[in-house]
Amino acid sequence: MDKKIQNLLYSIGLTSNYVGYRQMTIALEIAVQEPKSLCMVTKWLYPETAKRCGTNWKAVERNIRTALRCTWKTSQHTLEQMAGHSLEIIPKPAQFLAILAHGISGGY
């Protein structure tokens, strides 16, 4: 699972030198294992990720938003391919995580 997540993140331009890289990998791991977590990102996914990373949920959310903005600038087309349709506006962080989790599960 870890290798799939790393490969996916690298394919959209998020490398391990990015501050929130570890948080993204953990959030995606949780999202893939527990898809219901994507319905409760601020109540469950962010706090659980923060707990595993030794930080707070607001830092997790901020880092995911930053990753989303970076991905939108550099890899919008790849993100749209994973989503299966064009994205007219930048997705919300929960949508971003859902698209990436789907990409991992679907073998993107």
Side-chain angles (χ1 to χ4, degrees):
M1 173 72 70
D2 226 16
K3 196 67 173 165
K4 278 184 167 182
I5 292 171
Q6 290 172 3
N7 289 339
L8 180 82
L9 292 177
Y10 271 79
S11 76
I12 60 172
L14 295 175
T15 58
S16 58
N17 64 328
Y18 162 67
V19 173
Y21 181 82
R22 183 166 184 273
Q23 294 169 5
M24 282 292 298
T25 59
I26 290 171
L28 286 170
E29 189 176 297
I30 294 168
V32 169
Q33 292 172 352
E34 291 289 333
K36 289 180 183 179
S37 68
L38 292 167
C39 296
M40 302 180 293
V41 290
T42 57
K43 291 187 183 269
W44 191 61
L45 182 60
Y46 294 161
E48 181 61 27
T49 302
K51 185 172 118 181
R52 294 185 190 187
C53 293
T55 188
N56 63 61
W57 73 269
K58 289 181 181 184
V60 171
E61 181 181 29
R62 181 185 63 243
N63 287 329
I64 289 173
R65 285 182 188 279
T66 301
L68 170 56
R69 283 192 302 274
C70 292
T71 301
W72 187 253
K73 285 181 193 173
T74 62
S75 302
Q76 181 180 345
H77 181 70
T78 305
L79 197 59
E80 288 174 335
Q81 285 180 324
M82 277 188 257
H85 58 86
S86 64
L87 300 168
E88 301 300 319
I89 60 171
I90 190 168
K92 304 268 189 250
Q95 293 168 320
F96 177 57
L97 290 171
I99 290 167
L100 295 180
H102 176 74
I104 294 163
S105 300
Y108 182 84

